Amino acid sequence: MTREDLPEVLEIMKREFPKWHAPIVKLIAQKRKDPLSALLCALLSTRTRDETTAEVCKRFLQRVKDPQDLLEIDQEELEKLIYPVGFYRNKARQLKELAKQLVEDFNGKVPDNLENLLKLKGVGRKVANIVLSEGFGKPAIAVDVHVHRISNRWGFVKTKTPEDTEEALMEILPREYWRDYNRLLVAFGQTICKPIKPKCGECPISKWCGYYSSLGK
Ligand code: SF4
């Protein structure tokens, strides 16, 4: 897969996306289109299935409208509210600290740049890029395990870590595709290009895939 192939490949993926009924679609549907919602749901989603995160985000966002709500909510109530996301007790503590930081250091607003987002409690590059892309509509590439694995399977990048993948993609992926890249590859990775036993027989883009051609097909 080369940079020249990418527009056609991503066009096919956009067309196929609704047919996959990927779990990420349920999660996207629960989020309000604002930076705080993008940030909180991204933090809740770590080490948790998207189906579970979607249900939790729905009730959580009904109760928590701004950082002040999070500051005031009782720790025990918060734990109950976000259960059963992974590590819900730690995440509840982390969310309280995050709310304090937002109120004290950022005037109650989610920062709109990578540098300040990375200062927030529990926020790494993946979450920060999700916030920039989904919450602020800025060009950013959120690289998770799906994006990292699939970009390498295609042979589009040759990298060892998600951080290296993000750097490589920023070099070769035209900016117009940055925001869609995560959504498309996560859905594709959840349903077709799975970590174990990818469904290459059903894959609409196999002719561009380095992994597939290495199988001699
Ligand atoms: Fe993934 Fe197989 Fe498709 Fe390649 S051919 S992108 S490995 S599902």
Side-chain angles (χ1 to χ4, degrees):
M1 163 104 58
T2 66
R3 186 181 159 128
E4 286 67 41
D5 299 325
L6 204 70
E8 192 176 351
V9 168
L10 293 182
E11 242 354 274
I12 293 170
M13 290 178 74
K14 271 189 205 167
R15 197 182 62 220
E16 296 290 312
F17 179 85
K19 299 181 197 162
W20 296 332
H21 301 291
I24 190 180
V25 175
K26 285 187 190 151
L27 179 55
I28 291 169
Q30 297 309 332
K31 296 183 193 176
R32 298 186 306 253
K33 304 293 174 237
D34 63 75
L36 185 66
S37 162
L39 172 61
L40 297 177
C41 290
L43 288 171
L44 289 172
S45 75
T46 55
R47 307 212 190 180
T48 307
R49 292 165 61 87
D50 278 353
E51 294 94 331
T52 307
T53 312
E55 282 172 29
V56 170
C57 276
K58 188 177 178 182
R59 64 171 179 265
F60 180 71
L61 294 174
Q62 280 164 356
R63 171 72 177 80
V64 173
K65 307 283 188 202
D66 54 41
Q68 196 62 39
D69 284 343
L70 250 186
L71 260 188
E72 288 168 9
I73 195 170
D74 176 73
Q75 173 81 20
E76 205 173 316
E77 186 193 344
L78 183 55
E79 287 177 10
K80 279 190 192 143
L81 196 59
I82 66 172
Y83 179 85
V85 299
F87 304 98
Y88 66 96
R89 284 206 173 96
N90 284 343
K91 281 187 187 168
R93 264 196 300 277
Q94 190 184 71
L95 287 172
K96 300 282 282 178
E97 288 175 43
L98 172 78
K100 189 164 177 279
Q101 242 183 323
L102 287 175
V103 169
E104 290 181 358
D105 301 343
F106 297 100
N107 208 19
K109 302 262 186 269
V110 177
D112 66 353
N113 60 75
L114 194 64
E115 188 189 351
N116 282 338
L117 281 166
L118 291 174
K119 290 178 185 165
L120 297 175
K121 183 76 188 165
V123 174
R125 295 191 68 89
K126 183 186 81 171
V127 169
N129 280 318
I130 286 175
V131 175
L132 290 176
S133 158
E134 291 182 7
F136 291 103
K138 292 188 172 190
I141 312 169
V143 177
D144 72 347
V145 287
H146 296 292
V147 172
H148 173 61
R149 177 183 73 255
I150 297 167
S151 300
N152 274 282
R153 274 184 179 164
W154 287 346
F156 192 48
V157 300
K158 290 186 175 53
T159 51
K160 297 274 184 233
T161 66
E163 291 74 24
D164 291 346
T165 300
E166 185 194 331
E167 206 173 304
L169 287 173
M170 284 169 77
E171 291 271 316
I172 56 172
L173 187 64
R175 282 171 86 88
E176 67 199 272
Y177 301 121
W178 284 17
R179 290 187 60 217
D180 274 340
Y181 198 75
N182 173 278
R183 173 182 68 100
L184 292 173
L185 269 69
V186 171
F188 185 54
Q190 288 176 333
T191 53
I192 310 277
C193 194
K194 296 184 168 204
I196 299 166
K197 294 193 185 165
K199 297 177 182 173
C200 302
E202 298 174 24
C203 178
I205 54 166
S206 56
K207 78 170 190 179
W208 291 279
C209 176
Y211 171 83
Y212 192 64
S213 43
S214 74
L215 300 176
K217 303 203 176 181

